Amino acid sequence: MPSVPHDADSLLEGLDPSQREAVTSEARPLAIHAGAGSGKTRVLTHRIAWQSATGAISPGRVLALTFTRKAAGELRERISRLGVSESVAAGTFHSMALAQLRRYHSDRGTPMPAVLGSKARILGPMLGKRDSSQLRVIDVASEIEWAKARLVSPPRYLDAVSASGRVVSQAERIAGLYERYEQEKNRRLLVDFDDLLLACATAIETDREFAAAQRWRFRHLFVDEFQDTNRSQFRLLRAWLGIQASTGRGESGAQPDLCVVGDPDQAIYGFAGAEPRYLEDFETEFPGSTTVRLRYNYRSTPQVVATSRSVLPASRSRLSVETPKQDGPAPTIADYSDEHAEARAVIAAAVTAHSYERPWYSMAVLYRTNAQSLAFEEACKKSKVPYRVRGAGAFLERAEVKDLIAGIRSSAAAQPSLSFADHLVDLQADAADAPEEVREHAEALASLGHEYLAAEGGVGSVAGFLGFLNTALRNDEVSGGDAIDLLTFHAAKGLEWETVWVTGLEKGFVPISHAEGKAVALAEESRLLYVALSRSRRWLHCTHAEKRNFGERVAYRTRSALLDLIESAATGISLEELSETGGRVNQRGSSRARASLSAIALGDLAVEDRPLFEELKAWRLSTSRAANMPAFTVFDNKTLTAIATHRPSNLTQLLSVSGVGPVKAERYGEAVLEIIARQNEDAPLDIAKT
């Protein structure tokens, strides 16, 4: 390694060993696995700055790729603050592809196709006035985007849908519209945003002069959030790098200068075409590459880290993740009679937290689907709690809701003799075959309609209902200021709060109903829940409802199976023990369940080992209470059972017990060995470290 200038050394101050390795590694290509709260952006910006300061790279030839303009701007700003004087090119895949295509056409004197701002300009006239089929522009546009992200052309669309196992309403009609859309776009010399990636990749792959110019200009490539890369973006990335499919190397045989940062556990955009395998199988995609894993979570308490990681597959959840943060309160689980009781309780708890001088902006309520926000918006309004709906916007501002309200208006104009209650029935009937998100919003709107009818004594009108909506839900503080955040699991990615409520943890929401029976989709649902849980810095609360109201229809709910994993992590009670007691160790009558669980644990032990197990449990309880932490963070019941059975007499033997690692052995080993020695006078006490 070349000698390091003094100012470069300063860039390494405050980095932990794994961050330092990621910043200073000479490996090319390099993948950095950066979990929640691990300082991902800090490592990426420091690597660019440190490698620039040491002369390993030229900042003027860096191309840093992100997935949002905001992230690109933040990246440039932070790199500049680190003392990199030369400007670094940072942008999204689409913005960089567009800039290069403009240069390509300018150099050759050919016309650059105009960029189509919205697919609706072409698809709208094709679909014409909406008919009973309910096929909307947004549905067709989404399917075209799904196909293009996977490099699927119109002739291959139906086969690709079939191979994916997806159920797409009117797939054959969509395939025909996709073909017509492409033809009309080409006729008008237009490209959409999806075309930019393919067109840029094609230009580089087929024009050696253009390819050489781009590869000379950008020699060092960095990609943020690499787990979100789709097939189209990956093709463009390989084109930029000049990678030969047969070798995984550049045209000259050299290793490509590529550094990617991402987290396999936060791969939650499979529906949009993202393929986390590019990160997970990085060393296969790029032979000779190196992977560095950041080991520390600086965001959350040990309790939040353990609970959030519990929902990941065993191969991932058992990976060592440490946090330097002090112990915090145990996560809670609560169930409520319905979604309204759930929302009232959550917002009441937020009001209580606010009374202890916790600002509103330090709290968030997360839910799986946008339509679930309605109950929380109502509860905030009634409790005069300022709120901000992130992502899809407040309920009344969403395109789906506006479309549904327009449909109610049209129905009322066409059939003035129908009662308002009949219009609500028609609303739900019309949405029965619509996409899930539309159907959920229709059911939420119908629930509001029946709430309005109840307030009006069973008689109402469309005009009266619209006035009711504006009064009941209009929020004056939807952005900015000190407000509690309401948002979906997806929209929460990349954000964090001191206090988080993860709500609606029921089958049908978590995992979402359309993921049932699909292993890949279910795995993504687990990762999505992990993202939601890991947003909390300190206070984490999980809730679910026993039933939900959809208009006049009541649906009884089953709590999510993933709650068992959360509960096991939060209480230290094994899944086997939970299953034998029915699973519900929560805020409703947990004492009886815990007593039953103790009996089960004792049943697994020989009679002579039970007194030792009970003394170890008593010690664990006093230790956890003294540290204000849940008992499971000391040792869970399974580990205490193993200790009582094997009766280790020194630290070496204690370390061989499953569930006892070096940190816990150092922290609790002496106390545990003393208890064992008291229970077994014949066993010599040896606490010397070996």
Side-chain angles (χ1 to χ4, degrees):
M1 179 182 294
S3 60
V4 180
H6 176 71
D7 58 341
D9 278 335
S10 66
L11 293 169
L12 303 180
E13 293 175 2
L15 300 181
D16 67 47
S18 60
Q19 290 176 331
R20 232 174 231 252
E21 181 183 3
V23 167
T24 62
S25 174
E26 296 180 334
R28 306 282 195 280
L30 175 69
I32 302 170
H33 285 207
S38 63
K40 169 180 68 70
T41 305
R42 186 184 191 204
V43 166
L44 180 59
T45 53
H46 276 68
R47 178 172 174 85
I48 293 173
W50 192 86
Q51 299 270 334
S52 298
T54 59
I57 65 174
S58 171
R61 292 182 173 177
V62 165
L63 174 56
L65 297 159
T66 66
F67 282 81
T68 66
R69 288 189 301 167
K70 181 181 177 182
E74 180 184 354
L75 201 67
R76 284 191 297 266
E77 183 180 341
R78 291 178 66 163
I79 292 171
S80 177
R81 288 204 304 265
L82 291 173
V84 179
S85 56
E86 196 171 353
S87 178
V88 166
T92 65
F93 278 88
H94 289 86
S95 66
M96 300 310 300
L98 176 58
Q100 292 186 14
L101 282 172
R102 283 175 174 156
R103 170 59 60 186
Y104 175 82
H105 286 285
S106 174
D107 289 346
R108 283 149 189 78
T110 55
M112 169 70 191
V115 179
L116 183 65
S118 170
K119 293 179 176 66
R121 276 181 52 195
I122 294 178
L123 291 173
M126 288 181 182
L127 284 169
K129 188 176 181 179
R130 284 183 58 189
D131 55 31
S132 59
S133 70
Q134 296 295 308
L135 188 59
R136 305 176 306 157
V137 168
I138 191 173
D139 303 326
V140 181
S142 295
E143 282 303 300
I144 291 174
E145 289 163 6
W146 177 90
K148 290 193 174 188
R150 295 161 177 80
L151 301 178
V152 173
S153 61
R156 294 176 48 233
Y157 171 75
L158 289 175
D159 288 340
V161 168
S162 177
S164 71
R166 297 166 68 240
V167 177
V168 178
S169 177
Q170 302 184 63
E172 290 189 3
R173 187 180 176 199
I174 290 174
L177 288 166
Y178 182 13
E179 179 72 44
R180 289 174 58 197
Y181 169 81
E182 289 297 299
Q183 291 171 351
E184 184 64 15
K185 189 162 50 67
N186 293 336
R187 186 184 71 79
R188 298 190 197 180
L189 195 60
L190 295 172
V191 292
D192 59 27
F193 286 106
D194 306 303
D195 295 328
L196 296 175
L197 305 182
L198 179 59
C200 189
T202 301
I204 293 173
E205 291 164 353
T206 58
D207 190 314
R208 294 183 65 86
E209 182 181 350
F210 180 64
Q214 298 312 309
R215 292 168 191 157
W216 180 87
R217 170 71 176 83
F218 297 118
R219 297 187 181 183
H220 323 291
L221 271 66
F222 295 80
V223 185
D224 193 13
E225 301 287 7
F226 194 62
Q227 78 280 349
D228 296 337
T229 305
N230 64 35
R231 199 170 304 175
S232 180
Q233 291 161 335
F234 192 69
R235 175 178 169 181
L236 177 55
L237 179 65
R238 291 176 70 95
W240 274 330
L241 292 167
I243 291 177
Q244 305 299 298
S246 58
T247 64
R249 293 173 177 261
E251 290 180 343
S252 65
Q255 288 282 37
D257 192 351
L258 171 67
C259 173
V260 305
V261 183
D263 182 9
D265 296 332
Q266 296 188 72
I268 59 173
Y269 293 111
F271 66 90
E275 299 198 20
R277 66 183 178 88
Y278 294 137
L279 178 60
E280 294 170 339
D281 302 332
F282 189 79
E283 294 182 13
T284 301
E285 294 287 348
F286 300 96
S289 60
T290 299
T291 299
V292 173
R293 185 166 172 269
L294 304 185
R295 295 176 50 85
Y296 294 88
N297 181 319
Y298 293 96
R299 172 188 300 155
S300 306
T301 64
Q303 290 75 17
V304 172
V305 170
T307 301
S308 60
R309 294 196 66 79
S310 70
V311 301
L312 294 171
S315 60
R316 301 292 306 172
S317 63
R318 291 172 185 162
L319 289 174
S320 174
V321 175
E322 302 177 44
T323 173
K325 298 199 72 167
Q326 293 184 342
D327 286 305
T332 67
I333 299 173
D335 64 320
Y336 298 98
S337 59
D338 62 17
E339 75 273 24
H340 300 297
E342 177 187 43
R344 287 194 300 269
V346 167
I347 300 307
V351 170
T352 300
H354 185 65
S355 71
Y356 285 93
E357 299 186 349
R358 284 191 231 167
W360 295 118
Y361 66 76
S362 71
M363 296 181 265
V365 179
L366 310 184
Y367 34 79
R368 176 62 179 86
T369 68
N370 278 310
Q372 290 170 260
S373 76
L374 176 59
F376 297 103
E377 291 184 52
E378 288 184 289
C380 285
K381 189 73 175 178
K382 290 175 181 176
S383 298
K384 295 181 171 54
V385 171
Y387 68 93
R388 172 177 43 241
V389 183
R390 290 185 180 238
F395 186 79
L396 293 181
E397 302 302 319
R398 294 173 194 159
E400 295 91 346
V401 176
K402 288 181 176 179
D403 201 17
L404 290 166
I405 290 174
I408 293 175
R409 282 182 170 136
S410 298
S411 176
Q415 305 176 79
S417 61
L418 285 183
S419 69
F420 178 69
D422 288 332
H423 287 307
L424 290 180
V425 173
D426 288 349
L427 166 70
Q428 291 180 280
D430 289 344
D433 296 322
E436 188 168 19
E437 187 78 355
V438 177
R439 189 170 65 251
E440 289 175 351
H441 280 91
E443 291 174 334
L445 197 60
S447 291
L448 279 171
H450 288 287
E451 184 181 327
Y452 159 70
L453 281 175
E456 295 292 324
V459 180
S461 65
V462 171
F465 177 52
L466 297 179
F468 167 81
L469 288 179
N470 284 322
T471 301
L473 289 180
R474 185 63 61 193
N475 177 34
D476 295 327
E477 299 197 46
V478 295
S479 63
D482 185 17
I484 188 170
D485 283 310
L486 311 179
L487 65 168
T488 64
F489 294 177
H490 279 102
K493 185 174 179 292
L495 304 174
E496 60 184 75
W497 297 267
E498 199 74 10
T499 306
V500 172
W501 285 269
V502 179
T503 65
L505 295 180
E506 304 140 27
K507 185 179 180 181
F509 283 150
V510 183
I512 201 71
S513 56
H514 56 69
E516 291 294 338
K518 303 172 185 174
V520 173
L522 288 172
E524 182 160 313
E525 287 292 303
S526 296
R527 296 193 296 268
L528 181 57
L529 178 56
Y530 163 71
V531 167
L533 297 168
S534 62
R535 300 309 94 192
S536 168
R537 291 195 290 264
R538 182 170 177 83
W539 285 280
L540 175 61
H541 309 288
C542 302
T543 69
H544 61 101
E546 295 176 354
K547 66 177 183 291
R548 290 190 179 266
N549 301 284
F550 301 104
E552 292 188 311
R553 179 173 63 87
V554 175
Y556 289 90
R557 313 289 289 186
T558 302
R559 78 181 214 152
S560 170
L562 292 168
L563 259 180
D564 289 344
L565 298 171
I566 292 173
E567 193 158 23
S568 178
T571 62
I573 300 169
S574 71
L575 289 174
E576 293 80 7
E577 294 171 322
L578 283 171
S579 65
E580 292 187 50
T581 59
R584 297 198 171 200
V585 183
N586 53 36
Q587 292 181 357
R588 292 189 175 189
S590 63
S591 299
R592 188 189 315 165
R594 289 184 185 279
S596 176
L597 291 170
S598 295
I600 292 168
L602 287 172
D604 293 337
L605 287 162
V607 173
E608 62 270 20
D609 294 330
R610 293 181 183 181
L612 174 56
F613 176 80
E614 290 291 0
E615 188 171 352
L616 287 169
K617 274 185 61 183
W619 161 81
R620 180 181 67 177
L621 180 62
S622 62
T623 300
S624 63
R625 284 178 174 173
N628 190 28
M629 57 195 280
F632 79 90
T633 59
V634 181
F635 292 117
D636 62 22
N637 283 356
K638 188 174 181 180
T639 301
L640 290 187
T641 300
I643 292 173
T645 301
H646 296 293
R647 294 176 177 259
S649 61
N650 56 50
L651 285 180
T652 300
Q653 293 177 9
L654 182 62
L655 279 166
S656 69
V657 176
S658 177
V660 180
V663 174
K664 290 190 176 183
E666 182 177 355
R667 185 176 297 173
Y668 306 122
E670 185 171 352
V672 169
L673 293 173
E674 286 179 353
I675 292 170
I676 295 171
R678 284 199 302 271
Q679 285 285 334
N680 184 3
E681 294 179 354
D682 295 333
L685 178 62
D686 180 5
I687 59 172
K689 293 185 178 180
T690 58

